[in-house]
Amino acid sequence: MTERPQPVFIPARRPIARRTQRSVLVMGVGLSFFLLFLTVFRPSAMIQLDNLGYDELLSSLRRIPPPSEVVIVDVDEKSLRELGQWPWPRYQIARLLETLHEADVKSVGIDFILAEPDRLSLNQLKESLQQALQVSIDFSQVPTDYLDNDALLARTMAFPEVVASIWFMFDEPDRAVIPSLPIPEIVIQRSADAPESIPLPKASSALYPLSQLSHSVQSIGFLNALPDSDGKIRRAPLLIACQDRIYPSLALAAVMRKIGVFQATMRVSAAGIEEVQVGDIRIPTDRQGGMLLPFNQAGRQQFQWVSAVDLLKKNVLLDQLRGKVVFLGSSAAGQQDVQATPLDRRFPGVQVHAVTADAILRGSFLHSPAWSIGVQCILVLVLGAIMTVLLSRYSLTVCALTGAGGLTGLWYGAQWLLNAHGLYLSPVTPMAALGATFIILGVVRFRREENVARQKSYELALAQDCAILGLVTVAETRDPETGGHIVRTQYYVRALAMQLAKKPQYKKELSAETLDMLFKSAPLHDIGKVGIPDNILLKPGRLTDEEFDVMRLHTIAGHQALVRAERISGIKQKLSFLRYAQEIALAHHERWDGKGYPKGLKGAEIPLAARLMALADVYDALRSKRPYKPPLPHAEAAKLISAGSGTQFDPDVVQAFNEIEDIFIAIAGRDPDKEKVLP
């Protein structure tokens, strides 16, 4: 016959409690609306996160711009070495402008402000020396045209391609009236719902060119590049309002000179400024008229750089400059004209203008439309709802994998939009919302499930205790004298184990969890007696040798019953209370000297749990009345226990017993059998 397979209990997957589901759903709804509030009102922390996300996306931009129509004439270190420190005499700048005019460039943006008279002009030098040193110099032989460097420069700044510079100040109390300067007409087109006040940057005053120069120049643009709160430049303002006039940026004015238009159109709606149009070029902007700058990894290689001294010496083929937009500035370290950008901490200021003009001319714009906030709000609500539902129904692993997929999709989706279409939709806010929803609701669910699991564990522990007590009750029905013995030995074992746990060599083995399992398993040490025939188990006198051999089988029977119970239950823990019960049931009659039963184990071969029970079992038997003997007083029982140290009992266990004799006396008195136990 084949052995019938044993049944195995297979635990079912525990469903999520309805109370936990409700908590997750309620918290999820509240959290989604809170994140929606942050998305709409955008506190500074969210703006900073958005900026960091934009920087990372920009660094992944794979656009390779074609050869640019923009050239930078650089007053570089080489130019300063050969022509002297800055500022140069303005006749040198005039020579540069004359050379560029000869090269037939379309526009020249001057990236520095000429607000004061040139002190190196000969007439200025003559006056200064006369006042300071009373030295008079005769320049009568010098042509009049060469006495005033500003006059020389003014004649070259009158070239139609030249665009001068102005610098706006926003917090200056001085509101001196700015003289009329040559700026293009800005036409404002408003939608029906456009606000009365246009959200342009508004300056209070300005630093502008010397009147001798500003009267000659035909176009002017501002140099300001307004950085974000972290000091990085990501956008270039195209227009700034000051004293009831609207001024273009240097880059915009230079582009207008190149394409030959003298009017720009600014379109305004309820969302703010939507775009600025010059000729056929429509430039998308943010609500304040700022243009996202398409910085790329090409860096300096994006443009042709011409050293100013090489241009003066005609070491440059002028045909290469024909029809180009030129920016005249300096990248020399001493000039300190550097800006921080998302891709470079030391980006030459003149190159910022070049990047702006190049993007306008090529129509290569990065754009974050006004409706992007609406898209972010929708994503925050949808993703929050999805994660909330998932966390209320599925495992944390499924939710984590779904969340990771959502984060990846948001990031690479935003990266694709930026690369393929120049469209910037910030993924940071939806990603933060998705991550925050998973983390916060995950913690809520974990704590709820932890509480449920703790309650289940408590209930399971109670069920285990009830099962053990049930088995003990079965044993007691077979042998009424066994019931009290079982309870007392349970407490004896715990007392011995707690005392041993104080010793260093046992501290790790006898943890708090182990003590609890020993206490639970100890009552099962004589469970095998339920299989002993009544004529032997209940015999009033001493057992014969043959009967005693049968009685000894209760150790094996108890062990086998507990092994089978563990196998049927499906318990896999190595240190479950059933394992300790098995050890105790099988080996609690083994002796330290190896003369015990059923296996004749010796010394440390005997499990510690069984060694503890061996002493507790014998002590209780000595103290209790049996049909074949009277109870012994504690002193005599303790003497016999001590005499068995090293032969019958583990010496360490005996020592622990001697240290807590008063506890044993108390336990014996608290749980008496029908006959009173002697003190």
Side-chain angles (χ1 to χ4, degrees), residues 441-491:
L441 296 187
V443 170
V444 170
R445 173 175 154 179
F446 176 79
R447 293 302 301 270
R448 288 287 187 184
E449 290 187 337
E450 185 181 39
N451 291 336
V452 171
R454 188 181 294 114
Q455 181 64 27
K456 293 292 185 183
S457 297
Y458 176 71
E459 293 172 358
L460 180 60
L462 289 178
Q464 290 176 348
D465 292 344
C466 289
I468 293 170
L469 290 175
L471 291 173
V472 170
T473 302
V474 171
E476 190 173 6
T477 59
R478 295 292 319 284
D479 182 5
E481 293 180 348
T482 302
H485 168 73
I486 288 173
V487 174
R488 286 191 299 272
T489 53
Q490 181 182 29
Y491 284 92

Side-chain angles (χ1 to χ4, degrees), residues 16-215:
I16 301 173
R18 288 189 176 276
R19 186 175 178 182
T20 301
Q21 288 181 330
R22 286 195 300 270
S23 297
V24 170
L25 289 172
V26 171
M27 284 288 295
V29 171
L31 182 60
S32 294
F33 280 101
F34 174 71
L35 293 170
L36 180 63
F37 173 84
L38 296 181
T39 305
V40 173
F41 292 97
R42 293 172 59 78
S44 58
M46 296 298 293
I47 293 174
Q48 291 287 355
L49 284 175
D50 265 351
N51 286 340
L52 291 174
Y54 175 76
D55 294 350
E56 287 299 318
L57 287 173
L58 195 63
S59 66
S60 68
L61 199 61
R62 294 291 178 260
R63 291 180 171 184
I64 302 176
S68 177
E69 291 295 305
V70 178
V71 176
I72 298 174
V73 174
D74 188 13
V75 181
D76 55 6
E77 305 288 355
K78 175 183 176 182
S79 300
L80 296 178
R81 283 196 305 270
E82 296 193 24
L83 298 179
Q85 68 183 26
W86 187 264
W88 290 340
R90 288 182 184 165
Y91 64 79
Q92 296 284 35
I93 301 174
R95 291 177 60 203
L96 285 171
L97 294 179
E98 286 177 347
T99 306
L100 291 170
H101 182 69
E102 181 184 344
D104 193 23
V105 300
K106 286 295 184 180
S107 62
V108 181
I110 302 176
D111 184 33
F112 40 82
I113 301 169
L114 307 168
E116 303 294 337
D118 186 359
R119 291 182 300 172
L120 298 178
S121 295
L122 293 181
N123 55 5
Q124 289 286 331
L125 283 173
K126 181 179 180 178
E127 184 178 344
S128 297
L129 290 172
Q130 181 67 42
Q131 289 180 355
L133 302 175
Q134 289 76 48
V135 174
S136 179
I137 301 177
D138 183 14
F139 290 137
S140 59
Q141 303 299 318
V142 178
T144 305
D145 290 346
Y146 293 100
L147 292 177
D148 187 353
N149 291 343
D150 290 319
L152 285 171
L153 180 59
R155 285 195 292 272
T156 57
M157 289 187 70
F159 294 146
E161 68 270 14
V162 175
V163 182
S165 298
I166 186 172
W167 178 267
F168 286 113
M169 292 168 284
F170 293 86
D171 300 315
E172 294 291 329
D174 180 16
R175 291 182 56 84
V177 177
I178 301 173
S180 178
L181 297 172
I183 57 176
E185 179 186 5
I186 308 297
V187 177
I188 302 174
Q189 289 186 358
R190 300 174 182 269
S191 65
D193 56 354
E196 183 65 26
S197 176
I198 301 173
L200 275 175
K202 293 178 174 59
S204 57
S205 60
L207 188 65
Y208 44 85
L210 186 68
S211 60
Q212 186 177 5
L213 303 176
S214 60
H215 289 157

Side-chain angles (χ1 to χ4, degrees), residues 5 17 74 176 204 388 428 517 530 549 562 644:
D74 188 13
S204 57
T388 299
V428 175
M517 287 189 286
V530 298
D549 288 339
L562 292 170

